[in-house]
Amino acid sequence: MQDLKIAVVGATGMVGQEFIKILKQRNIPAKNLRLLASARSAGSIVYYGSNEITVEETTPSAFNGINIALFSAGGDVSRYYAPLAVKAGATVIDNSSAWRMDPEVPLVIPEVNAADLEQHNGIIANPNCSTIQMLMALAPLHRINPVKRIIVSTYQSVSGAGGKAVFELQTQSRQVLDGQSVNPHVFPHQIAFNVLPHIDVFLDNGFTKEEMKMVNETHKMLHDYSIIVTATCARVPVLNGHSESITVEFYESMPADEARGILTMVKGVKVLDDPTINVYPQPWSATGSDDTFVGRIRQDLSQPNCINMWVVADNIRKGAALNAIQIAETLAANDWVKAKGVR
Ligand code: 25A
Ligand code: L14
């Protein structure tokens, strides 16, 4: 990983900034890093330890000499630039939803389906944040006792919608407390002191695109299209960290204690589950952490073979930047950085 030349596309965004933070923590040398964004941000300076790196405009030639390009600049940028980056010799790890359901593109959580990376053709998709944390908790259980049905409700923070959305929650919160009127820009309604059952656009089937990502991406990553998934995704006035209430039905009995025991052993998962002392996962304390936190594990009273749980993760970190960097590390460790045709 240390020798690879890495480009970050969308370097000035929420996810882009987290990419930079994690690459620094991984001791990637500044000389191997190229920061790209739109023309608006070109020329701005980003501090990388004691180094100053100038942000450059994303252009097709910006990918010359790059081994890995980490994209987080929205679907349109990815659709246009990812094939150009691949043509220039880079392997793309894309955070947008643009390529996730393409059958040629692996969709990967390294802890869940790392082997899918081997067959990549130059573009690899990073899954949706809500799906990543759900499968971090469910895949280890599914391996032991297959999952039949998932009912999930999300409580998603504003950071998933980008830097302007974070600013909107902060601004509106002050305005409401000061008795002023608020003007929504990023979200369709006031988000401060409110909850919106609406993330991404509505589809003809009555679900939102975000809700259907949780269905479709679960099938693709678990390689199991028989699992029934139904999701409700809500935006809550939390700055960072997504929470999820998950009800999961297994084919066989899954005592809560057994689930707790299995999850305690999983790398990347931390069980925080002691109601006697009010211990359970919270988005505020999950922020900045690499782990996915699971708690409130209990038997569902309404259906046999079912458990309920509460799952929290830092959506910008494990839900986006960290997962993508873990994909890059998996590629590097297995000598899979170059697409299979050119290896
Ligand atoms: O299509 P998707 O997948 O649904 O993705 C939509 C959005 O989701 C975020 C990401 O927002 C994206 O825009 N996102 C994507 N994947 C995510 C994930 N897994 C995710 N969020 C969570 N989890 P973001 O805020 O994180 O990042 C936006 C970045 O994209 C850069 N960008 C935009 N167009 C680009 C581009 N980069 C290269 N080429 C392009 N054509 C964008 O950079 C940002 O880094 P920027 O330089 O355009 O913006 C930096 C500053 O400019 C300000 N600004 C924004 N718009 C305007 C503006 N200033 C003036 N006028 C404007 N119109 C911003 O305030 C910012 O500070
Ligand atoms: O598909 O707004 O990865 O919280 C990530 C951010 C969907 C929307 C994705 C949000 C996007 C989500």
Side-chain angles (χ1 to χ4, degrees):
M1 203 46 191
Q2 309 299 323
D3 314 328
L4 297 175
K5 304 261 189 263
I6 299 173
V8 176
V9 182
T12 51
M14 292 291 294
V15 176
Q17 291 291 306
E18 198 70 27
F19 272 136
I20 294 166
K21 215 189 284 173
I22 299 171
L23 291 169
K24 182 71 196 140
Q25 288 166 349
R26 304 289 209 253
N27 291 317
I28 301 298
K31 67 174 170 50
N32 288 352
L33 199 55
R34 187 172 292 165
L35 303 183
L36 305 172
S38 63
R40 279 192 301 275
S41 297
S44 57
I45 302 284
V46 168
Y47 289 94
Y48 186 74
S50 55
N51 296 283
E52 292 183 355
I53 303 182
T54 304
V55 176
E56 300 167 63
E57 184 179 353
T58 310
T59 60
S61 62
F63 297 100
N64 291 337
I66 294 295
N67 303 112
I68 292 194
L70 303 167
F71 274 63
S72 193
D76 293 341
V77 173
S78 295
R79 261 183 291 274
Y80 182 76
Y81 279 110
L84 297 174
V86 171
K87 205 174 263 176
T91 288
V92 170
I93 304 171
D94 181 37
N95 256 296
S96 80
S97 52
W99 300 95
R100 288 180 190 150
M101 298 318 294
D102 187 318
E104 296 291 304
V105 172
L107 178 70
V108 173
I109 304 168
E111 292 90 337
V112 173
N113 61 330
D116 289 353
L117 288 171
E118 187 174 5
Q119 295 303 315
H120 79 86
N121 289 311
I123 302 178
I124 294 153
N126 197 69
N128 164 262
C129 38
S130 299
T131 314
I132 291 178
Q133 68 183 71
M134 179 171 84
L135 294 191
M136 281 297 291
L138 295 189
L141 304 176
H142 174 69
R143 270 184 217 119
I144 288 166
N145 181 350
V147 168
K148 185 175 180 188
R149 178 178 186 221
I150 301 167
I151 305 168
V152 56
S153 297
T154 70
Y155 304 66
Q156 297 185 219
S157 66
V158 296
S159 66
K164 279 195 242 169
V166 171
F167 183 71
E168 181 149 306
L169 173 58
Q170 292 168 328
T171 309
Q172 285 185 1
S173 300
R174 284 193 196 96
Q175 287 170 330
V176 171
L177 291 174
D178 289 345
Q180 297 167 3
S181 61
V182 307
N183 266 321
H185 297 288
V186 177
F187 300 111
H189 303 282
Q190 176 180 320
I191 184 61
F193 305 97
N194 199 11
V195 172
L196 307 177
H198 175 186
I199 293 182
D200 211 335
V201 296
F202 282 98
L203 302 170
D204 289 343
N205 66 357
F207 286 84
T208 61
K209 215 168 149 186
E210 182 77 350
E211 289 159 353
M212 293 313 296
K213 289 174 205 166
M214 297 191 77
V215 178
N216 298 328
E217 296 183 22
T218 295
H219 289 157
K220 180 165 175 173
M221 284 188 278
L222 295 183
H223 304 284
D224 187 342
Y225 291 77
S226 71
I227 301 173
I228 311 162
V229 186
T230 189
T232 302
C233 293
R235 184 81 64 191
V236 294
V238 167
L239 286 174
N240 190 55
H242 288 356
S243 307
E244 299 178 345
S245 163
I246 302 175
T247 298
V248 53
E249 181 181 353
F250 299 89
Y251 280 97
E252 311 283 338
S253 148
M254 174 67 87
D257 277 346
E258 186 185 338
R260 210 174 283 117
I262 295 166
L263 291 172
T264 304
M265 312 291 285
V266 176
K267 200 170 164 277
V269 171
K270 258 215 174 80
V271 174
L272 288 184
D273 196 10
D274 190 350
T276 63
I277 50 168
N278 299 342
V279 168
Y280 37 74
Q282 300 161 60
W284 174 78
S285 44
T287 289
S289 175
D290 289 355
D291 289 321
T292 298
F293 297 91
V294 187
R296 302 292 321 279
I297 304 170
R298 61 206 191 276
Q299 226 63 49
D300 186 310
L301 301 177
S302 70
Q303 180 86 352
N305 303 345
C306 257
I307 57 172
N308 296 329
M309 57 174 91
W310 179 252
V311 177
V312 176
D314 183 333
N315 52 295
I316 296 296
R317 216 169 159 88
K318 184 56 185 169
L322 174 69
N323 194 74
I325 288 175
Q326 289 172 327
I327 289 174
E329 288 171 335
T330 308
L331 294 175
N334 289 286
D335 205 14
W336 293 341
V337 174
K338 279 203 176 304
K340 64 177 192 284
V342 281
R343 238 179 263 153

